PDB file of all heavy atoms in Angstrom:
ATOM      1  N   VAL G  45     106.427  -2.345-110.066  1.00 70.00           N
ATOM      2  CA  VAL G  45     106.258  -3.633-110.717  1.00 70.00           C
ATOM      3  C   VAL G  45     104.811  -3.730-111.163  1.00 70.00           C
ATOM      4  O   VAL G  45     103.890  -3.566-110.361  1.00 70.00           O
ATOM      5  CB  VAL G  45     106.592  -4.794-109.748  1.00 70.00           C
ATOM      6  CG1 VAL G  45     106.362  -6.127-110.428  1.00 70.00           C
ATOM      7  CG2 VAL G  45     108.014  -4.668-109.258  1.00 70.00           C
ATOM      8  N   SER G  46     104.634  -3.997-112.442  1.00 67.00           N
ATOM      9  CA  SER G  46     103.270  -4.140-112.953  1.00 67.00           C
ATOM     10  C   SER G  46     103.158  -5.481-113.665  1.00 67.00           C
ATOM     11  O   SER G  46     104.139  -6.024-114.164  1.00 67.00           O
ATOM     12  CB  SER G  46     102.932  -2.986-113.901  1.00 67.00           C
ATOM     13  OG  SER G  46     103.813  -3.016-115.003  1.00 67.00           O
ATOM     14  N   ASN G  47     101.984  -5.989-113.750  1.00 63.00           N
ATOM     15  CA  ASN G  47     101.729  -7.282-114.368  1.00 63.00           C
ATOM     16  C   ASN G  47     101.203  -7.039-115.781  1.00 63.00           C
ATOM     17  O   ASN G  47     100.038  -6.738-115.972  1.00 63.00           O
ATOM     18  CB  ASN G  47     100.719  -8.077-113.533  1.00 63.00           C
ATOM     19  CG  ASN G  47     100.625  -9.507-114.018  1.00 63.00           C
ATOM     20  OD1 ASN G  47     101.378  -9.927-114.880  1.00 63.00           O
ATOM     21  ND2 ASN G  47      99.686 -10.250-113.457  1.00 63.00           N
ATOM     22  N   ARG G  48     102.094  -7.149-116.774  1.00 59.00           N
ATOM     23  CA  ARG G  48     101.699  -6.947-118.162  1.00 59.00           C
ATOM     24  C   ARG G  48     101.902  -8.232-118.939  1.00 59.00           C
ATOM     25  O   ARG G  48     102.310  -9.247-118.403  1.00 59.00           O
ATOM     26  CB  ARG G  48     102.536  -5.831-118.780  1.00 59.00           C
ATOM     27  CG  ARG G  48     102.254  -4.483-118.157  1.00 59.00           C
ATOM     28  CD  ARG G  48     103.017  -3.419-118.866  1.00 59.00           C
ATOM     29  NE  ARG G  48     102.843  -2.135-118.201  1.00 59.00           N
ATOM     30  CZ  ARG G  48     103.615  -1.101-118.383  1.00 59.00           C
ATOM     31  NH1 ARG G  48     104.620  -1.179-119.210  1.00 59.00           N
ATOM     32  NH2 ARG G  48     103.389   0.021-117.748  1.00 59.00           N
ATOM     33  N   SER G  49     101.628  -8.169-120.235  1.00 61.00           N
ATOM     34  CA  SER G  49     101.746  -9.368-121.076  1.00 61.00           C
ATOM     35  C   SER G  49     103.209  -9.773-121.215  1.00 61.00           C
ATOM     36  O   SER G  49     104.124  -9.037-120.891  1.00 61.00           O
ATOM     37  CB  SER G  49     101.150  -9.085-122.460  1.00 61.00           C
ATOM     38  OG  SER G  49     101.930  -8.098-123.119  1.00 61.00           O
ATOM     39  N   ALA G  50     103.429 -10.972-121.774  1.00 59.00           N
ATOM     40  CA  ALA G  50     104.781 -11.518-121.905  1.00 59.00           C
ATOM     41  C   ALA G  50     105.607 -10.712-122.903  1.00 59.00           C
ATOM     42  O   ALA G  50     106.812 -10.557-122.735  1.00 59.00           O
ATOM     43  CB  ALA G  50     104.721 -12.974-122.340  1.00 59.00           C
ATOM     44  N   SER G  51     104.997 -10.200-123.969  1.00 66.00           N
ATOM     45  CA  SER G  51     105.766  -9.414-124.940  1.00 66.00           C
ATOM     46  C   SER G  51     106.231  -8.101-124.319  1.00 66.00           C
ATOM     47  O   SER G  51     107.317  -7.624-124.617  1.00 66.00           O
ATOM     48  CB  SER G  51     104.932  -9.137-126.193  1.00 66.00           C
ATOM     49  OG  SER G  51     103.819  -8.320-125.858  1.00 66.00           O
ATOM     50  N   GLY G  52     105.427  -7.533-123.460  1.00 70.00           N
ATOM     51  CA  GLY G  52     105.821  -6.316-122.761  1.00 70.00           C
ATOM     52  C   GLY G  52     106.935  -6.596-121.776  1.00 70.00           C
ATOM     53  O   GLY G  52     107.783  -5.739-121.510  1.00 70.00           O
ATOM     54  N   ALA G  53     106.961  -7.799-121.224  1.00 72.00           N
ATOM     55  CA  ALA G  53     108.003  -8.172-120.265  1.00 72.00           C
ATOM     56  C   ALA G  53     109.366  -8.194-120.949  1.00 72.00           C
ATOM     57  O   ALA G  53     110.368  -7.781-120.364  1.00 72.00           O
ATOM     58  CB  ALA G  53     107.692  -9.523-119.641  1.00 72.00           C
ATOM     59  N   ALA G  54     109.409  -8.663-122.184  1.00 78.00           N
ATOM     60  CA  ALA G  54     110.676  -8.706-122.917  1.00 78.00           C
ATOM     61  C   ALA G  54     111.178  -7.289-123.172  1.00 78.00           C
ATOM     62  O   ALA G  54     112.360  -6.999-123.009  1.00 78.00           O
ATOM     63  CB  ALA G  54     110.507  -9.461-124.233  1.00 78.00           C
ATOM     64  N   LYS G  55     110.271  -6.395-123.556  1.00 82.00           N
ATOM     65  CA  LYS G  55     110.659  -5.007-123.807  1.00 82.00           C
ATOM     66  C   LYS G  55     111.139  -4.349-122.519  1.00 82.00           C
ATOM     67  O   LYS G  55     112.116  -3.601-122.521  1.00 82.00           O
ATOM     68  CB  LYS G  55     109.490  -4.218-124.391  1.00 82.00           C
ATOM     69  CG  LYS G  55     109.142  -4.627-125.802  1.00 82.00           C
ATOM     70  CD  LYS G  55     107.957  -3.842-126.321  1.00 82.00           C
ATOM     71  CE  LYS G  55     107.558  -4.312-127.698  1.00 82.00           C
ATOM     72  NZ  LYS G  55     106.373  -3.613-128.195  1.00 82.00           N
ATOM     73  N   ARG G  56     110.433  -4.629-121.433  1.00 83.00           N
ATOM     74  CA  ARG G  56     110.851  -4.061-120.150  1.00 83.00           C
ATOM     75  C   ARG G  56     112.195  -4.625-119.725  1.00 83.00           C
ATOM     76  O   ARG G  56     113.018  -3.921-119.155  1.00 83.00           O
ATOM     77  CB  ARG G  56     109.796  -4.349-119.074  1.00 83.00           C
ATOM     78  CG  ARG G  56     108.570  -3.483-119.198  1.00 83.00           C
ATOM     79  CD  ARG G  56     107.672  -3.630-117.993  1.00 83.00           C
ATOM     80  NE  ARG G  56     107.436  -4.991-117.554  1.00 83.00           N
ATOM     81  CZ  ARG G  56     106.485  -5.794-118.031  1.00 83.00           C
ATOM     82  NH1 ARG G  56     105.676  -5.381-118.969  1.00 83.00           N
ATOM     83  NH2 ARG G  56     106.343  -7.012-117.573  1.00 83.00           N
ATOM     84  N   GLY G  57     112.420  -5.901-120.023  1.00 83.00           N
ATOM     85  CA  GLY G  57     113.698  -6.519-119.673  1.00 83.00           C
ATOM     86  C   GLY G  57     114.850  -5.887-120.439  1.00 83.00           C
ATOM     87  O   GLY G  57     115.909  -5.624-119.871  1.00 83.00           O
ATOM     88  N   VAL G  58     114.636  -5.628-121.720  1.00 83.00           N
ATOM     89  CA  VAL G  58     115.672  -4.993-122.528  1.00 83.00           C
ATOM     90  C   VAL G  58     115.908  -3.574-122.027  1.00 83.00           C
ATOM     91  O   VAL G  58     117.055  -3.127-121.897  1.00 83.00           O
ATOM     92  CB  VAL G  58     115.274  -4.997-124.027  1.00 83.00           C
ATOM     93  CG1 VAL G  58     116.219  -4.137-124.848  1.00 83.00           C
ATOM     94  CG2 VAL G  58     115.241  -6.414-124.566  1.00 83.00           C
ATOM     95  N   ALA G  59     114.817  -2.865-121.724  1.00 85.00           N
ATOM     96  CA  ALA G  59     114.964  -1.501-121.218  1.00 85.00           C
ATOM     97  C   ALA G  59     115.691  -1.498-119.878  1.00 85.00           C
ATOM     98  O   ALA G  59     116.548  -0.646-119.627  1.00 85.00           O
ATOM     99  CB  ALA G  59     113.595  -0.843-121.090  1.00 85.00           C
ATOM    100  N   ALA G  60     115.360  -2.442-119.017  1.00 82.00           N
ATOM    101  CA  ALA G  60     116.019  -2.526-117.716  1.00 82.00           C
ATOM    102  C   ALA G  60     117.501  -2.855-117.893  1.00 82.00           C
ATOM    103  O   ALA G  60     118.360  -2.287-117.210  1.00 82.00           O
ATOM    104  CB  ALA G  60     115.348  -3.587-116.850  1.00 82.00           C
ATOM    105  N   PHE G  61     117.809  -3.743-118.835  1.00 76.00           N
ATOM    106  CA  PHE G  61     119.203  -4.096-119.116  1.00 76.00           C
ATOM    107  C   PHE G  61     119.949  -2.879-119.631  1.00 76.00           C
ATOM    108  O   PHE G  61     121.084  -2.616-119.239  1.00 76.00           O
ATOM    109  CB  PHE G  61     119.256  -5.240-120.130  1.00 76.00           C
ATOM    110  CG  PHE G  61     120.650  -5.613-120.548  1.00 76.00           C
ATOM    111  CD1 PHE G  61     121.467  -6.326-119.688  1.00 76.00           C
ATOM    112  CD2 PHE G  61     121.139  -5.246-121.786  1.00 76.00           C
ATOM    113  CE1 PHE G  61     122.756  -6.660-120.062  1.00 76.00           C
ATOM    114  CE2 PHE G  61     122.421  -5.587-122.172  1.00 76.00           C
ATOM    115  CZ  PHE G  61     123.227  -6.294-121.304  1.00 76.00           C
ATOM    116  N   TRP G  62     119.314  -2.124-120.521  1.00 78.00           N
ATOM    117  CA  TRP G  62     119.935  -0.926-121.077  1.00 78.00           C
ATOM    118  C   TRP G  62     120.227   0.094-119.987  1.00 78.00           C
ATOM    119  O   TRP G  62     121.295   0.684-119.947  1.00 78.00           O
ATOM    120  CB  TRP G  62     119.025  -0.339-122.155  1.00 78.00           C
ATOM    121  CG  TRP G  62     119.652   0.789-122.903  1.00 78.00           C
ATOM    122  CD1 TRP G  62     119.358   2.098-122.772  1.00 78.00           C
ATOM    123  CD2 TRP G  62     120.693   0.705-123.861  1.00 78.00           C
ATOM    124  NE1 TRP G  62     120.140   2.844-123.607  1.00 78.00           N
ATOM    125  CE2 TRP G  62     120.981   2.010-124.292  1.00 78.00           C
ATOM    126  CE3 TRP G  62     121.418  -0.345-124.395  1.00 78.00           C
ATOM    127  CZ2 TRP G  62     121.959   2.285-125.219  1.00 78.00           C
ATOM    128  CZ3 TRP G  62     122.383  -0.063-125.335  1.00 78.00           C
ATOM    129  CH2 TRP G  62     122.643   1.236-125.737  1.00 78.00           C
ATOM    130  N   GLU G  63     119.271   0.301-119.092  1.00 79.00           N
ATOM    131  CA  GLU G  63     119.482   1.237-117.995  1.00 79.00           C
ATOM    132  C   GLU G  63     120.587   0.746-117.061  1.00 79.00           C
ATOM    133  O   GLU G  63     121.368   1.527-116.550  1.00 79.00           O
ATOM    134  CB  GLU G  63     118.179   1.449-117.204  1.00 79.00           C
ATOM    135  CG  GLU G  63     117.157   2.270-117.946  1.00 79.00           C
ATOM    136  CD  GLU G  63     117.652   3.668-118.276  1.00 79.00           C
ATOM    137  OE1 GLU G  63     118.338   4.284-117.435  1.00 79.00           O
ATOM    138  OE2 GLU G  63     117.384   4.136-119.397  1.00 79.00           O
ATOM    139  N   TRP G  64     120.641  -0.553-116.857  1.00 74.00           N
ATOM    140  CA  TRP G  64     121.668  -1.131-115.997  1.00 74.00           C
ATOM    141  C   TRP G  64     123.057  -0.885-116.578  1.00 74.00           C
ATOM    142  O   TRP G  64     123.994  -0.566-115.864  1.00 74.00           O
ATOM    143  CB  TRP G  64     121.413  -2.622-115.818  1.00 74.00           C
ATOM    144  CG  TRP G  64     122.441  -3.308-114.973  1.00 74.00           C
ATOM    145  CD1 TRP G  64     122.574  -3.256-113.621  1.00 74.00           C
ATOM    146  CD2 TRP G  64     123.504  -4.151-115.436  1.00 74.00           C
ATOM    147  NE1 TRP G  64     123.637  -4.005-113.211  1.00 74.00           N
ATOM    148  CE2 TRP G  64     124.227  -4.570-114.311  1.00 74.00           C
ATOM    149  CE3 TRP G  64     123.903  -4.596-116.678  1.00 74.00           C
ATOM    150  CZ2 TRP G  64     125.324  -5.413-114.394  1.00 74.00           C
ATOM    151  CZ3 TRP G  64     124.997  -5.428-116.770  1.00 74.00           C
ATOM    152  CH2 TRP G  64     125.698  -5.831-115.633  1.00 74.00           C
ATOM    153  N   THR G  65     123.185  -1.037-117.913  1.00 71.00           N
ATOM    154  CA  THR G  65     124.483  -0.813-118.532  1.00 71.00           C
ATOM    155  C   THR G  65     124.876   0.657-118.478  1.00 71.00           C
ATOM    156  O   THR G  65     126.057   0.974-118.385  1.00 71.00           O
ATOM    157  CB  THR G  65     124.490  -1.275-120.000  1.00 71.00           C
ATOM    158  OG1 THR G  65     123.470  -0.579-120.718  1.00 71.00           O
ATOM    159  CG2 THR G  65     124.277  -2.766-120.106  1.00 71.00           C
ATOM    160  N   LYS G  66     123.926   1.543-118.554  1.00 74.00           N
ATOM    161  CA  LYS G  66     124.235   2.973-118.473  1.00 74.00           C
ATOM    162  C   LYS G  66     124.680   3.379-117.080  1.00 74.00           C
ATOM    163  O   LYS G  66     125.397   4.351-116.913  1.00 74.00           O
ATOM    164  CB  LYS G  66     123.017   3.808-118.874  1.00 74.00           C
ATOM    165  CG  LYS G  66     122.732   3.781-120.351  1.00 74.00           C
ATOM    166  CD  LYS G  66     121.539   4.676-120.640  1.00 74.00           C
ATOM    167  CE  LYS G  66     121.236   4.736-122.103  1.00 74.00           C
ATOM    168  NZ  LYS G  66     120.086   5.600-122.385  1.00 74.00           N
TER     169      LYS G  66
END
Side-chain angles (χ1 to χ4, degrees):
V45 178
S46 62
N47 190 6
R48 294 184 185 163
S49 65
S51 65
K55 290 179 184 177
R56 285 190 314 274
V58 170
F61 176 75
W62 187 254
E63 288 299 321
W64 179 75
T65 58
K66 287 182 178 180

